[in-house]
Amino acid sequence: MNTEFYIARRVSQRSEGAKPGIMERVATIATAVSLAVIVVTLSVVVGFKQELGVLISSSISDVVVTAPQSHGVVSGVGVGRNDLIESVFVDEHVERVSPFTTKEGVIKSQDNIVGVLLKGVDTLYNTDFFEQRMLEGSFPRLGREPRSKDIMLSERVAKRMDVVVGDRVEMLFVDHKGTILRDKFELSGIYSTGVDFLDEVYAFTDMRNVARLYDGDSEVVTGYELWLEDGADPTLYKEELNDRFVTLYFDEGIGVEAFTIEDIFPDVFGWLATHDVTAILVVIIMLVVALLNMATALLIIVLERETMIGILRALGMGRKAVLRIFLYRSLFIVLRGVLWGAFIGFVIVLVQHLWRVIPLPTEGYLLDAVPTAMCWGWWCLAIVGSIVVTLLCMLLPATFATRISPVEIMRYE
């Protein structure tokens, strides 16, 4: 049997009616709180990235192909639909391709006016995301003959314009000549994604209604949206597409460019990147708190066990063996704190994940509740890392035990 481990275990055992030392409890609580905070922090940071990424990519797409001038959003420069461009999209990683046409406009009533981006789509568009987030009505009817004049607005825009499903909606547009164009639609549905910068901008209709605003040329679209299969890397696929588009430009003179959602919304993903720095700072601070408490507790435990150390040294136990005893002692405290911290952190994350009990102001955080992700890999890394770092830092206070002289202890005893 490992003698050092056996002694450390016996010292750690609580006799009936005995209570653990105050410093041991403080160290255990500090470790538990620190790890719980780390678990929750990692979950929230990963949750923000996952939820916003899924929301944006689902409402737009993983990759958007437009004229270079439009940068994936909207431009007066359209893309001519032809087989050469669409043949580039034939790839095993692409699940769906949908052309779209956009036009900036203004929704007008007697009392209000709201600017939106009218997005026209056809029957190839994946409507599942918006149908799941439909509050009233339905997605505009696409590909009907004669074409429908349905329009879908967000809940925010509908409330500002004081309209409900079935109401007539008038919109104003300006063409490339500066002429004001008017068109009327019927509100078919009201949606809410929970992301303000999406809800305040996008309105949806049949693509032919938007093409009519461009002299009715249905062969010119703003661009294409590409949804990729699960696990595909949008950034890597974008680079592959752009390499093919360079060849297409030099061979055929067709200028298009692919963009990811990070390219289209750099401010949003830049804001998310700042959360990584915040998470790192929180992890460092909580580890420092746990280490300070552990070091203090171990020093006091060593002082409380001076007599035992002196006897063991007098019986011939080496310095390294004494060091291992108190490292084992530290390990028991750390493991107890880590188990409690992991359990508490997991419960907090699970409650928020299932019931979203902590809300967020959407004006500042884009989401209506604190997002949490069940990031098992990061949690395991945090738990193992916390144990390893703590034990390494405990080498210094544990070394103090090896400096206790058995002669001095026995003299005073």
Side-chain angles (χ1 to χ4, degrees):
M1 177 182 289
N2 189 321
T3 305
E4 296 86 353
F5 181 83
Y6 175 76
I7 294 173
R9 189 183 64 181
R10 289 299 301 269
V11 171
S12 300
Q13 288 177 348
R14 304 171 188 176
S15 58
E16 188 175 349
K19 294 183 178 179
I22 182 65
M23 291 310 301
E24 179 181 342
R25 283 182 287 175
V26 169
T28 302
I29 293 172
T31 304
V33 171
S34 297
L35 189 65
V37 172
I38 291 172
V39 167
V40 173
T41 300
L42 292 174
S43 178
V44 170
V45 170
V46 175
F48 260 114
K49 290 187 172 184
Q50 287 183 353
E51 287 204 19
L52 277 177
V54 169
L55 279 172
I56 297 174
S57 63
S58 298
S59 60
I60 300 176
S61 65
D62 296 305
V63 177
V64 179
V65 175
T66 63
Q69 300 91 325
S70 71
H71 203 73
V73 186
V74 60
S75 172
V77 180
V79 177
R81 298 186 67 174
N82 61 65
D83 296 337
L84 291 174
I85 295 178
E86 297 182 3
S87 65
V88 176
F89 305 145
V90 179
D91 192 286
E92 59 182 2
H93 299 303
V94 180
E95 287 190 345
R96 183 188 293 263
V97 179
S98 173
F100 69 95
T101 306
T102 56
K103 181 71 174 178
E104 294 168 312
V106 171
I107 302 177
K108 177 183 174 297
S109 68
Q110 292 183 347
D111 302 318
N112 297 301
I113 185 170
V114 176
V116 297
L117 181 65
L118 184 62
K119 181 174 181 178
V121 295
D122 64 6
T123 53
L124 296 176
Y125 187 76
N126 186 0
T127 62
D128 293 344
F129 174 80
F130 287 99
E131 288 176 349
Q132 292 170 4
R133 287 159 177 80
M134 195 72 64
L135 302 181
E136 298 179 49
S138 60
F139 199 88
R141 294 167 292 176
L142 306 175
R144 296 291 185 90
E145 290 295 347
R147 60 184 170 86
S148 72
K149 295 300 294 292
D150 294 346
I151 190 173
M152 183 177 71
L153 302 177
S154 71
E155 182 184 27
R156 286 179 171 271
V157 174
K159 284 184 176 179
R160 289 174 62 182
M161 296 305 300
D162 193 24
V163 292
V164 296
V165 172
D167 286 354
R168 303 287 289 177
V169 176
E170 182 180 12
M171 291 194 66
L172 304 179
F173 306 91
V174 179
D175 66 10
H176 64 283
K177 299 178 182 178
T179 305
I180 296 178
L181 306 176
R182 296 174 180 268
D183 205 348
K184 289 187 177 182
F185 301 89
E186 180 178 340
L187 183 58
S188 66
I190 297 175
Y191 74 93
S192 175
T193 66
V195 182
D196 282 357
F197 71 89
L198 295 177
D199 290 352
E200 291 178 352
V201 173
Y202 285 98
F204 293 84
T205 189
D206 190 301
M207 191 165 67
R208 292 171 296 175
N209 293 327
V210 185
R212 180 172 169 272
L213 302 170
Y214 291 101
D215 298 326
D217 188 358
S218 59
E219 293 304 312
V220 177
V221 296
T222 301
Y224 296 87
E225 292 181 318
L226 281 66
W227 283 268
L228 307 182
E229 64 178 6
D230 292 340
D233 186 348
T235 301
L236 182 60
Y237 185 67
K238 177 201 75 171
E239 294 172 354
E240 293 178 1
L241 279 180
N242 284 332
D243 289 340
R244 300 176 195 172
F245 290 149
V246 170
T247 303
L248 188 63
Y249 176 76
F250 284 111
D251 291 346
E252 303 293 338
I254 300 173
V256 289
E257 186 173 355
F259 302 91
T260 63
I261 56 175
E262 287 87 350
D263 300 324
I264 299 172
F265 300 105
D267 293 341
V268 175
F269 288 90
W271 173 75
L272 284 176
T274 62
H275 284 65
D276 294 340
V277 179
T278 304
I280 292 172
L281 289 176
V282 170
V283 169
I284 292 174
I285 291 172
M286 299 313 298
L287 280 177
V288 169
V289 170
L291 291 174
L292 289 176
N293 282 280
M294 277 294 302
T296 304
L298 187 58
L299 283 174
I300 293 177
I301 290 171
V302 168
L303 293 175
E304 290 175 345
R305 296 290 178 176
E306 279 186 328
T307 302
M308 183 193 76
I309 296 170
I311 294 173
L312 292 174
R313 294 283 286 120
L315 291 174
M317 180 171 282
R319 294 178 181 271
K320 291 184 178 180
V322 173
L323 177 64
R324 286 195 291 270
I325 289 174
F326 287 95
L327 285 179
Y328 283 132
R329 188 79 176 87
S330 300
L331 178 62
F332 297 149
I333 297 173
V334 171
L335 288 178
R336 191 179 302 121
V338 163
L339 289 175
W340 276 108
F343 175 75
I344 294 170
F346 175 75
V347 169
I348 293 173
V349 169
L350 185 62
V351 169
Q352 179 65 17
H353 187 75
L354 295 178
W355 293 288
R356 304 176 75 87
V357 295
I358 304 176
L360 279 177
T362 54
E363 294 80 5
Y365 293 92
L366 306 178
L367 300 175
D368 56 4
V370 175
T372 53
M374 311 303 283
C375 46
W376 300 103
W378 284 109
W379 289 348
C380 292
L381 184 62
I383 291 171
V384 174
S386 298
I387 295 173
V388 172
V389 170
T390 303
L391 290 179
L392 288 176
C393 292
M394 288 305 101
L395 283 171
L396 184 59
T399 304
F400 181 76
T402 66
R403 298 182 179 276
I404 296 176
S405 171
V407 175
E408 295 295 327
I409 296 299
M410 300 302 291
R411 177 186 300 171
Y412 291 109
E413 289 295 325

